Amino acid sequence: MPHLSTDVLVIGAGGAGMYAAIAAAQHGTSVLLVDKAQVGRGGATIMAQMTVAVALAEQEPDSVELHLEDTLKAGRGLCNEELAALVCAEAPKRIREMEQWGTRWARENDHIKQEMAPGHSVKRCCYVDFLNTGPAVAATLRRKVSEISAIRRISNLAAVEIIVRDGRAIGAVVLDLVDGELIAIHAKAVVLAAGGLTKLFERNSASTNMGGEAYALALWAGAELIDMEFVQFFPIGHLAPRLVGMDPIMWDPYRYKLGGKLVNGQFEEFIDRYGSTDFGQYNATRDVAAYAILKEVEAGRGTPHGGAYLDFRHIPEAQLRAAFGPVIDRLLVNGIDLTKTPVEVGPMAHYHMGGIRVDVNMRTRIEGLFAAGEAVGGSNGANRLSGNAITEAFVFGERAGISAADAARRASAEWDEKFADETMERLKSLGEMSAENAIAPIALQVELQKLMWEQAGPFRTGDKLTSALSRIEEMRKKDLPECRVGSEHRFNLDLQDWFELRAMLTTAETVVQSALARPESRGAHQREDFPIADYRFLKNQVMEIKDGELATRWVVPSRLDRSQAIHG
Amino acid sequence: MVERKNKTARLRISRGMPGGERCYDTFELPYEDGMSVLDALRWIRANLDSTLAIRYSCINANACKTCMALVNGEVEYTCIAKLTPNLITVEPLPKRPLIRDLVTDSVPEDEKV
Ligand SMILES: Cc1cc2nc3c(=O)[nH]c(=O)nc-3n(C[C@H](O)[C@H](O)[C@H](O)COP(=O)(O)OP(=O)(O)OC[C@H]3O[C@@H](n4cnc5c(N)ncnc54)[C@H](O)[C@@H]3O)c2cc1C
């Protein structure tokens, strides 16, 4: 039976995973960094085209305290304040470290240029031109990782289960996509950095590897999840005309910079009707804007593809060209001429505020199991500010790497292949149940995405959520075991889809169940049957598996002691 | 933009394993203006033949740079290669070892098991 061994196993090689690998290696441990896609290319990090929020105070006066204040305000009372404070306090160190490692942040007059973004009270967001932030930071981290000999990296290994023995995480079982084998990896500490879950929804900005597997893996291992009902729907994701070669959420900065008008299908401005203070300043937070657009669609005032128009036609061509730079030509290749055509935009699943429950050292409640990046829940509460996600990936990644290295050094090295046998045998037998003429797992994934979008998406009701829950349960119990995965070994995507679907169904169930259990509307969680925020639910929901079933309990958000200074 | 409705695209796709027989499968699918070759490959996997092996991550951002193949004989990122209502031939990159169907070994040597 194939088997690999390491001090620290990092699952997922996006911004958080690569940062964790570097930090763990710098703290003296060997690291194995695996990704189901190609290292540094599989998830959200490389797709992020916009900005990174950090209180550098280079553009104008700013402070960690102010960054935190804005973050907590956006979180609608539900942020884990300790985690949020960690993100804000450590952000400047990480962003400057990235610069030392080679990221060329856009500069102006000898300082890092920082822009305004909605919900931030000062110019705080740095970036790499043009729309190149994600690719640039991913390239920096890939290079750094490849320079450190203590890090071994392997592409196309998908983690399918964490191995837990006597309450400790001691490794993982991974699927080697290239030859279809399951491999046991022994590790003294494991960092789950496998990113978010937005692929669960039909309309999304996700890569194909964002099915929320980190959450299911953590849950099955015995860890807790928090705030799973809080999925951020990005209000102005691109809907039409078909646009390729760009990330679907690219419009945001231009809307702010240029004053692109958001209008309904009848070309009327409408955000101000929904209790926001947008008033032409384009600073409505994401949850408010998403809500307003879908309410217009529901009222019959949407665009043909079910969204709103983003209209730049009132802006002179020269000004458009100056602001969009080379991007304007990429748009033209797609047949989009902004001087003539408005584009259709609408909400799409974009980020997950909820996730694995950790302490400030990124420890889950399972010894030896850590989490980092978007996989972590809590720091953004009910809504995330733009730019905070990349920051969080770096900050949590570094923390998790150090913590995992410390844990690995304390852990004993004992490992017996028998430890993995039970998990391996169980997983192998799963695939054998499939019938040859049964449905392919990808078809069930498509059904699940539709179901989640329509019944657990931006607008929720008790009825819709209940019906979603029963179908998901049926898919998990009846359809999943019967899916066809074929007997092919080499690069069998059906097999990878099957394991992904297995995790997607568990994660979807946690989202729907927590959404059902929260009878109020707050931030990104909007219940049409309970449209008002209710102070009694100024609490977080924590989920775990108890006696084989999902169990939920309410906890009071972790608050900072305001008398203490915030430090990193 | 006026959408051309009810058009179909046809893809002729190279299938098979290294050393074994290679053959071409032809698929027909609904075509909409603006679609990419990768959109078509993904549609085929979801609706016609899920066993087709392809490699991609970011779907349409052209950020991950892992979806390259030969499109009508030219090396292209399938995510930005435009589909047309005509027949398009898609084949694996010729200079890389074949894994299966359209997937070639593009992973750096030091990123393997
Ligand atoms: C289109 C887009 C644009 C964005 N723009 C911005 C922005 O401008 N600013 C900002 O702050 N945030 C932005 N975000 C959010 C931000 O990019 C993410 O929250 C952040 O990059 C997450 O980093 P991560 O390392 O946690 O996850 P990711 O970068 O998603 O990496 C996770 C990795 O885990 C791998 N993986 C998944 N499952 C498994 C498994 N089972 N086994 C092994 N590997 C697995 C994936 O292949 C992937 O490589 C954007 C997100 C998207 C989708």
Side-chain angles (χ1 to χ4, degrees):
Chain A
M1 197 176 288
H3 146 231
L4 294 161
S5 150
T6 180
D7 288 337
V8 173
L9 169 65
V10 180
I11 298 169
M18 290 193 283
Y19 230 112
I22 295 165
Q26 287 177 339
H27 278 71
T29 54
S30 68
V31 179
L32 178 58
L33 172 64
V34 303
D35 198 288
K36 72 188 293 182
Q38 264 167 264
V39 166
R41 301 177 184 274
T45 302
I46 203 165
M47 297 168 72
Q49 293 185 337
M50 299 202 297
T51 61
V52 181
V54 48
L56 293 174
E58 295 223 357
Q59 188 78 32
E60 59 179 330
D62 192 5
S63 68
V64 166
E65 286 76 12
L66 192 56
H67 187 186
L68 178 61
E69 199 177 296
D70 290 341
T71 301
L72 298 184
K73 196 170 153 212
R76 304 291 196 287
L78 289 191
C79 292
N80 175 323
E81 297 187 358
E82 287 180 312
L83 290 182
L86 179 72
V87 172
C88 298
E90 303 245 310
K93 278 187 244 168
R94 300 285 79 79
I95 297 313
R96 295 201 193 282
E97 187 165 61
M98 286 296 290
E99 187 171 42
Q100 278 167 17
W101 293 346
T103 301
R104 291 213 198 96
W105 302 114
R107 298 185 80 90
E108 167 183 84
N109 306 329
D110 257 11
H111 67 78
I112 292 179
K113 198 169 164 191
Q114 295 183 278
E115 294 275 7
M116 197 68 194
H120 292 282
S121 52
V122 298
K123 292 184 175 169
R124 179 180 289 143
C125 297
C126 53
Y127 58 94
V128 181
D129 268 327
F130 268 99
L131 293 184
N132 200 39
T133 302
V137 300
T140 299
L141 290 171
R142 279 202 312 269
R143 191 177 330 110
K144 187 78 190 165
V145 160
S146 72
E147 284 167 6
I148 300 176
S149 60
I151 303 175
R152 176 161 184 212
R153 50 197 205 285
I154 307 182
S155 292
N156 291 132
L157 290 187
V160 299
E161 220 163 279
I162 305 292
I163 306 170
V164 179
R165 190 182 150 83
D166 300 331
R168 275 186 54 89
I170 56 163
V173 175
V174 298
L175 172 69
D176 180 353
L177 179 62
V178 177
D179 64 11
E181 292 290 331
L182 288 174
I183 301 176
I185 299 177
H186 168 224
K188 295 178 193 165
V190 178
V191 179
L192 264 173
L197 55 57
T198 44
K199 184 188 176 178
L200 288 179
F201 297 86
E202 184 183 25
R203 281 191 181 175
N204 65 58
S205 64
S207 81
T208 193
N209 306 305
M210 290 160 68
E213 292 173 89
Y215 312 112
L217 261 60
L219 198 65
W220 293 331
E224 293 168 319
L225 306 182
I226 188 166
D227 292 343
M228 290 304 283
E229 64 273 42
F230 291 103
V231 179
Q232 180 166 70
F233 294 95
F234 185 83
I236 57 167
H238 185 87
L239 294 180
R242 181 76 179 115
L243 170 62
V244 298
M246 306 284 305
D247 117 33
I249 67 147
M250 47 108 17
W251 294 113
D252 224 27
Y254 302 110
R255 182 169 165 239
Y256 306 117
K257 255 192 232 166
L258 290 164
K261 272 192 211 153
L262 198 57
V263 294
N264 65 18
Q266 300 163 1
F267 290 94
E268 306 157 343
E269 296 196 52
F270 58 91
I271 297 257
D272 296 354
R273 293 180 196 161
Y274 295 89
S276 129
T277 50
D278 206 36
F279 296 114
Q281 292 170 41
Y282 312 105
N283 57 4
T285 48
R286 289 179 172 180
D287 48 355
V288 173
Y291 181 82
I293 292 173
L294 287 183
K295 275 290 162 194
E296 287 296 298
V297 173
E298 200 183 72
R301 296 188 294 266
T303 59
H305 288 80
Y309 287 117
L310 180 60
D311 197 345
F312 291 98
R313 286 177 299 176
H314 57 291
I315 297 156
E317 189 172 349
Q319 204 183 328
L320 285 176
R321 207 157 248 294
F324 278 89
V327 172
I328 204 132
D329 297 318
R330 281 198 247 166
L331 292 170
L332 284 172
V333 170
N334 282 277
I336 298 173
D337 180 348
L338 294 177
T339 62
K340 297 201 177 75
T341 349
V343 293
E344 287 182 60
V345 295
M348 52 182 63
H350 179 55
Y351 174 83
H352 192 41
M353 272 75 73
I356 303 167
R357 190 174 188 219
V358 295
D359 67 9
V360 285
N361 291 310
M362 304 299 123
R363 281 194 302 226
T364 70
R365 74 170 179 188
I366 298 298
E367 214 185 315
L369 184 61
F370 302 81
E374 194 169 333
V376 165
S379 61
N380 299 287
N383 185 39
R384 170 180 70 91
L385 284 185
S386 86
N388 269 4
I390 301 253
T391 312
E392 165 193 84
F394 296 164
V395 170
F396 289 173
E398 196 250 7
R399 256 303 149 103
I402 294 173
S403 299
D406 286 345
R409 266 200 305 270
R410 288 194 311 269
S412 68
E414 58 164 318
W415 167 260
D416 188 321
E417 293 208 1
K418 284 202 293 284
F419 296 169
D421 285 354
E422 184 269 328
T423 315
M424 293 280 275
E425 289 314 314
R426 187 165 38 77
L427 290 173
K428 278 186 178 154
S429 67
L430 289 175
E432 287 161 8
M433 292 199 277
S434 73
E436 211 32 64
N437 50 3
I439 189 169
I442 191 172
L444 280 179
Q445 289 191 1
V446 171
E447 186 196 334
L448 178 66
Q449 290 174 310
K450 253 183 119 58
L451 182 81
M452 289 298 283
W453 178 252
E454 284 163 9
Q455 311 203 344
F459 286 149
R460 297 159 172 178
T461 66
D463 288 348
K464 285 195 213 165
L465 292 166
T466 307
S467 103
L469 203 54
S470 72
R471 178 64 188 129
I472 292 169
E473 200 180 321
E474 183 182 47
M475 287 169 92
R476 179 165 60 79
K477 290 186 177 154
K478 182 173 164 295
D479 302 343
L480 176 71
E482 289 175 358
C483 271
R484 163 169 51 82
V485 294
S487 51
E488 188 59 68
H489 281 277
R490 286 174 85 82
F491 223 89
N492 180 348
L493 290 175
D494 283 332
L495 191 57
Q496 178 167 291
D497 289 345
W498 188 88
F499 279 110
E500 185 177 275
L501 174 65
R502 173 171 176 256
M504 285 171 84
L505 287 168
T506 292
T507 300
E509 207 165 326
T510 67
V511 173
V512 176
Q513 192 152 314
S514 342
L516 194 56
R518 181 179 286 280
E520 66 153 356
S521 291
R522 181 185 302 276
H525 170 69
Q526 294 290 329
R527 283 283 297 260
E528 292 197 278
D529 43 357
F530 296 95
I532 302 219
D534 182 337
Y535 70 94
R536 287 173 302 173
F537 297 104
L538 203 54
K539 290 183 194 150
N540 304 104
Q541 285 191 79
V542 173
M543 275 199 154
E544 64 184 315
I545 294 180
K546 243 188 190 159
D547 306 322
E549 298 287 328
L550 280 180
T552 306
R553 68 174 196 283
W554 295 93
V555 301
V556 175
S558 145
R559 303 283 182 219
L560 270 187
D561 180 354
R562 301 299 169 128
S563 60
Q564 282 178 5
I566 304 160
H567 45 79
Chain B
M1 250 169 78
V2 191
E3 257 176 42
R4 281 175 282 171
K5 295 269 179 212
N6 302 326
K7 291 217 171 174
T8 52
R10 279 193 308 143
L11 260 72
R12 197 169 147 262
I13 300 175
S14 165
R15 307 291 301 264
M17 305 259 260
E21 286 273 307
R22 287 265 293 282
C23 65
Y24 288 86
D25 280 347
T26 302
F27 298 94
E28 230 177 71
L29 66 146
Y31 168 83
E32 258 188 58
D33 269 347
M35 276 177 83
S36 68
V37 171
L38 182 60
D39 288 340
L41 296 172
R42 289 168 50 234
W43 197 92
I44 290 166
R45 272 210 76 234
N47 297 282
L48 301 176
D49 184 354
S50 66
T51 69
L52 175 66
I54 53 180
R55 192 198 285 281
Y56 69 97
S57 277
C58 77
I59 301 178
N60 58 13
N62 194 222
C64 74
K65 311 284 185 191
T66 62
C67 68
M68 273 199 279
L70 278 190
V71 178
N72 285 340
E74 302 281 329
V75 176
E76 303 229 33
Y77 291 112
T78 56
C79 76
I80 49 172
K82 289 280 181 194
L83 198 65
T84 63
N86 309 318
L87 182 72
I88 286 185
T89 300
V90 193
E91 298 163 299
L93 294 179
K95 291 192 177 151
R96 303 245 181 206
L98 180 66
I99 292 181
R100 192 163 71 82
D101 295 349
L102 298 179
V103 179
T104 50
D105 187 356
S106 53
V107 172
E109 275 316 306
D110 57 357
E111 282 180 22
K112 292 181 188 168
V113 177

